[in-house]
Amino acid sequence: MDFYMPTKVHMEKDCVKKHKKELTSLGTKALIVTGHSSSKKNGSLNNVTEALSSEGVLYVIFDEIEENPSVETIMKAATLGIEEHVDFVIGIGGGSPMDASKAIALMIANPQENESLLYESKNAPVLPVVAVPTTAGTGSEVTPYAILTLHSEQTKRGISHRIFPVLALVDYTYLTFAPREIMVCTAIDTLAHLIESYLNTKTNVYNRMMTEYGLRIWGCFKDALLSNDAPSESTYQAMMMASTIAGMSISHTGTSLPHGMSYYLTYEQNIPHGNAVGIFLPAFLDIFEDKNQVKRLLGLLDFKNEKAFTKYIDSLFEIVVVNEDDVDRYVAGMMSNQKKLANYPFKMTEDKFYTIFKNSVKIKKNRKFPFFNRNK
Ligand code: NAP
Ligand code: ZN
């Protein structure tokens, strides 16, 4: 059995303010890494800058992190951090800024290196990273992963380095600013992490302990995602708790096939991460050979059976259309995705992947042109 989760987590309302001494003890000048606008609106950026200023810690802000951050943006932010001589990095926002902050912290600590370091398997120093999540979905505040968009390879891929934040300051009140679409997508990402970690080759007793607890919490708030009413404070709290727990789960196992397949839809059709992952979950459960595990998992989530689960997911997302040629390409890509295949406990085949796609998206047939014999 292995258990390794080195991130110190504080989870409570007004978390940044209450733990500002710990935050500011990490360095003398911070690079704050965030998205374009949400952290300014939900108060998280202000909370962090106030905490730093009150303790005399300097900072510089990079607020250009896009959704599904690219390697190019990482390098731009790292250049700023190097020029400004920062000695720690604070990621504020959803998974995109939090993942970006890890990759940026790596590049700042290795100013002599170029971007290829991100995907090289070698030991390299990294600046301390603090994560302040404002979505409840990725759990990036407690995972060692950073998923970046690689335009050169036209997909998304996790960097080779495992970088756990040293500190996670988790305040569910930031979630109250998220529109319903973001709330649903991110909550389904949490669900996918729990499912893909539970039905994973690398699961173990410790991992199960938290994943089962996470699944139970998730099951308790699932109806809130179907409603247009704003969730209660305790629901937001539960969403954040489930997200962080699910992050701890995948830290031990990694994600599985739905995450691997989702990256194509996000890169090529701009489908938000949680939506792109979520639509594959019912078909993933359907092909999973150990039905006892699936039954137990659905029980923890308080779904009667697979049919009820499929109906639930279908009611949240619109149908995604994919060209037949593209499906063939994705199936071939997944058959060579050794990382994700290793996390799936059974043998995968092209036919099985095709079945997952067929049952998850609408496949648009290639247009057949009539045959003209020009000699006639
Ligand atoms: P995101 O890409 O970080 O943000 C999505 C949108 O939500 C952005 O427009 C953002 O605005 C907005 N937003 C963030 N917090 C908000 C709030 N409190 N209120 C209103 N709007 C808010 O979304 P995400 O789903 O959290 O992260 C997805 C990324 O994480 C993907 O790149 C995915 O691959 C990665 N991921 C990482 C892990 C891991 O273990 N590290 C796991 C799963 C997924 P701004 O741009 O203005 O901030
Ligand atoms: Zn995810």
Side-chain angles (χ1 to χ4, degrees):
M1 252 198 302
D2 303 302
F3 185 80
Y4 183 64
M5 216 300 290
T7 305
K8 182 158 190 191
V9 184
H10 293 292
M11 188 181 287
E12 61 180 323
K13 200 173 173 176
D14 299 324
C15 197
V16 173
K17 199 172 169 186
K18 286 182 184 156
H19 300 279
K20 67 177 183 179
K21 294 268 184 215
E22 255 177 87
L23 170 70
T24 53
S25 70
L26 291 168
T28 56
K29 186 169 186 182
L31 175 67
I32 297 178
V33 172
T34 190
H36 290 98
S37 65
S38 69
S39 63
K40 293 173 190 120
K41 294 178 193 155
N42 62 36
S44 51
L45 180 60
N46 200 33
N47 288 350
V48 169
T49 53
E50 266 181 11
L52 295 175
S53 299
S54 70
E55 298 294 315
V57 173
L58 303 173
Y59 62 85
V60 51
I61 300 174
F62 182 86
D63 61 359
E64 297 174 38
I65 302 297
E66 72 276 44
E67 290 180 37
N68 309 296
S70 65
V71 169
E72 289 77 6
T73 305
I74 300 305
M75 296 311 290
K76 189 174 174 193
T79 303
L80 174 68
I82 293 164
E83 282 168 6
E84 293 282 340
H85 301 288
V86 303
D87 51 12
F88 69 122
V89 180
I90 306 173
I92 308 175
S96 297
M98 288 191 286
D99 281 12
S101 66
K102 300 171 191 173
I104 293 164
L106 173 75
M107 294 315 304
I108 296 175
N110 298 276
Q112 73 291 353
E113 299 271 3
N114 64 29
E115 65 191 51
S116 61
L117 174 67
L118 294 165
Y119 290 96
E120 276 169 24
S121 305
K122 69 176 184 191
N123 284 334
V126 59
L127 294 190
V129 174
V130 180
V132 181
T134 66
T135 60
T138 69
S140 179
E141 67 275 13
V142 291
T143 76
Y145 311 124
I147 323 292
L148 304 181
T149 294
L150 278 165
H151 289 303
S152 56
E153 294 186 19
Q154 301 200 332
T155 189
K156 292 173 62 179
R157 186 141 44 91
I159 65 170
S160 308
H161 305 256
R162 288 174 67 86
I163 302 169
F164 280 99
V166 292
L167 181 65
L169 299 174
V170 188
D171 183 341
Y172 65 89
T173 61
Y174 302 137
L175 300 181
T176 58
F177 292 79
R180 185 171 178 276
E181 196 203 340
I182 291 179
M183 183 184 78
V184 168
C185 286
T186 49
I188 295 297
D189 190 24
T190 294
L191 174 67
H193 295 164
L194 293 166
I195 291 178
E196 291 175 47
S197 187
Y198 193 82
L199 303 178
N200 197 297
T201 315
K202 301 194 183 104
T203 188
N204 64 30
V205 173
Y206 283 129
N207 167 265
R208 277 281 157 107
M209 270 162 38
M210 49 201 170
T211 310
E212 293 196 357
Y213 185 59
L215 286 163
R216 271 201 209 99
I217 301 177
W218 206 97
C220 292
F221 66 70
K222 65 179 185 298
D223 289 343
L225 301 188
L226 300 173
S227 164
N228 284 323
D229 298 340
S232 65
E233 187 167 340
S234 62
T235 299
Y236 281 123
Q237 211 168 352
M239 285 176 176
M240 200 53 127
M241 170 81 85
S243 171
T244 303
I245 289 173
M248 293 176 188
S249 299
I250 56 168
S251 290
H252 289 88
T253 56
T255 54
S256 183
L257 309 180
H259 266 71
M261 292 185 285
S262 79
Y263 296 149
Y264 298 108
L265 301 189
T266 296
Y267 188 84
E268 295 182 20
Q269 295 202 34
N270 211 17
I271 308 228
H273 176 66
N275 182 346
V277 174
I279 58 170
F280 291 114
L281 292 176
F284 176 67
L285 294 191
D286 190 38
I287 65 143
F288 199 83
E289 288 170 38
D290 186 342
K291 288 297 166 198
N292 283 333
Q293 301 260 29
V294 173
K295 207 171 154 195
R296 181 162 168 74
L297 180 152
L298 290 172
L300 291 164
L301 288 167
D302 200 21
F303 282 108
K304 237 195 230 149
N305 49 35
E306 284 188 42
K307 206 170 155 198
F309 180 73
T310 305
K311 194 173 161 209
Y312 177 88
I313 295 288
D314 286 353
S315 70
L316 293 174
F317 300 119
E318 287 180 10
I319 293 170
V320 173
V321 181
V322 182
N323 291 326
E324 200 175 28
D325 286 351
D326 292 331
V327 172
D328 292 345
R329 186 162 51 83
Y330 303 159
V331 168
M334 287 307 297
M335 285 300 290
S336 60
N337 189 336
Q338 296 307 328
K339 251 188 177 168
K340 299 296 179 210
L341 289 174
N343 289 351
Y344 186 71
F346 305 101
K347 186 176 161 49
M348 277 307 287
T349 61
E350 287 186 357
D351 278 354
K352 284 191 201 172
F353 273 121
Y354 193 81
T355 303
I356 298 182
F357 276 106
K358 185 165 64 75
N359 293 336
S360 309
V361 301
K362 182 173 164 31
I363 300 180
K364 202 167 137 197
K365 297 270 176 211
N366 297 332
R367 275 180 65 187
K368 299 254 184 311
F369 293 99
F371 179 75
F372 295 110
N373 186 339
R374 291 197 184 152
N375 297 329
K376 273 195 177 170

